[in-house]
């Protein structure tokens, strides 16, 4: 076999690997576990309500006695955590079961600010809920922020109706969130908090 043939075979093999990686880019972003009993369900802001609905569903199914919302200011004095609380109460979650973290403006801040409140309440286990496309990065950031805390973390994804993991290129929403998540994951690996 000549050097040229070897180079062609290697190039073709690399092309196949690259095509498989690109095809599965959306599916890689999704991370989820089976729900387990926790002290609190933590729902991150940043969507149009699917995350809150998933958190309320988990709460109503007995996954935890408390439901916590993390989200900062969205416009002037309006806090995302407050809006999520109202939504959850409309879904039947009692106000006394709701805990708020209302300062976070990023996934990193969701982790750091929520950790302080979780420790204050002496919660020892947390089920973290976010959109399916967001969960790979959520897991990386939360695992880093909670390292050594003794607090157990579990992750449950809320499916986003506009994100299609297996055909992430199929609509603008899927395409945009896939590219955005990979950019933010790249930042994570270079030590940036996002």
């Amino acid at each position: 076999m000549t050097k040229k043939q070897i180079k062609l075979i290697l190039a073709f093999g690399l092309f196949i690997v690259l095509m498989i990686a690109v095809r599965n880019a959306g599916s890689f972003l999704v991370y989820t576990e089976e729900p387990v009993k926790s002290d609190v369900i933590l729902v991150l802001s940043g969507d149009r309500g699917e995350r809150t609905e998933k958190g309320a569903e988990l709460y109503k199914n007995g996954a935890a006695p408390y439901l916590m919302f993390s989200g900062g200011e969205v416009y002037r004095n309006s806090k995302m955590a407050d809006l999520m609380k109202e939504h959850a109460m409309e879904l039947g979650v009692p106000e006394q079961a709701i805990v708020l973290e209302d300062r976070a403006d990023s996934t990193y801040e969701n982790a750091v600010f929520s950790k302080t409140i979780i420790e204050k309440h002496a919660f020892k286990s947390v089920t973290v809920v976010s959109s399916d496309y967001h969960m790979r990065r959520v897991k990386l950031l939360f695992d880093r922020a909670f390292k050594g805390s003794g607090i157990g973390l579990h992750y449950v994804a809320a499916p986003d109706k506009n994100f299609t993991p297996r055909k992430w290129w199929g609509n603008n929403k899927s395409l945009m969130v896939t590219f955005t998540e990979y950019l933010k994951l790249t930042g994570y690996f270079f030590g940036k908090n996002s």
Side-chain angles (χ1 to χ4, degrees):
M1 193 175 292
T2 68
K3 284 186 178 181
K4 186 176 181 179
Q5 289 173 321
I6 292 171
K7 286 180 182 178
L8 279 172
I9 290 169
L10 289 174
F12 182 72
L14 184 61
F15 174 76
I16 295 297
V17 168
L18 183 62
M19 292 308 296
I20 291 169
V22 167
R23 187 177 193 310
N24 292 309
S27 297
F28 174 76
L29 295 175
V30 178
Y31 180 85
T32 194
E33 300 170 355
E34 286 297 314
V36 296
K37 185 89 169 149
S38 298
D39 292 335
V40 64
I41 300 159
L42 170 59
V43 183
L44 310 186
S45 63
D47 70 332
R48 289 178 304 275
E50 297 93 347
R51 298 174 187 184
T52 298
E53 290 165 4
K54 185 66 171 182
E57 173 192 317
L58 291 169
Y59 171 83
K60 289 160 98 177
N61 288 338
Y66 294 97
L67 186 54
M68 181 174 174
F69 296 109
S70 176
E73 191 170 25
V74 287
Y75 186 79
R76 294 193 68 180
N77 296 321
S78 296
K79 307 275 186 150
M80 197 63 186
D82 293 327
L83 298 173
M84 296 165 77
K85 173 185 174 181
E86 288 175 26
H87 186 183
M89 289 172 63
E90 289 170 9
L91 295 170
V93 178
E95 186 172 13
Q96 63 271 18
I98 297 174
V99 178
L100 299 181
E101 181 291 300
D102 63 2
R103 297 185 307 147
D105 288 325
S106 68
T107 306
Y108 172 75
E109 288 182 354
N110 288 136
V112 172
F113 297 158
S114 294
K115 181 182 175 208
T116 301
I117 295 170
I118 287 164
E119 289 174 333
K120 180 181 168 190
H121 282 83
F123 295 139
K124 294 296 178 195
S125 57
V126 182
T127 296
V128 183
V129 175
S130 192
S131 299
D132 49 4
Y133 62 80
H134 189 215
M135 290 303 286
R136 181 70 56 182
R137 186 162 52 91
V138 166
K139 181 173 177 8
L140 290 169
L141 286 166
F142 271 73
D143 285 352
R144 181 200 297 171
F146 281 74
K147 187 176 181 176
S149 69
I151 297 168
L153 298 173
H154 309 282
Y155 300 92
V156 177
D160 184 295
K161 64 182 177 186
N162 295 312
F163 177 67
T164 311
R166 291 185 165 270
K167 291 190 178 183
W168 59 269
W169 58 88
N171 67 61
N172 286 342
K173 167 79 176 191
S174 283
L175 192 63
M176 290 306 295
V177 298
T178 301
F179 279 120
T180 301
E181 284 300 313
Y182 276 98
L183 283 173
K184 291 180 178 182
L185 278 168
T186 301
Y188 167 84
F189 286 109
F190 286 104
K192 302 293 182 197
N193 297 320
S194 55

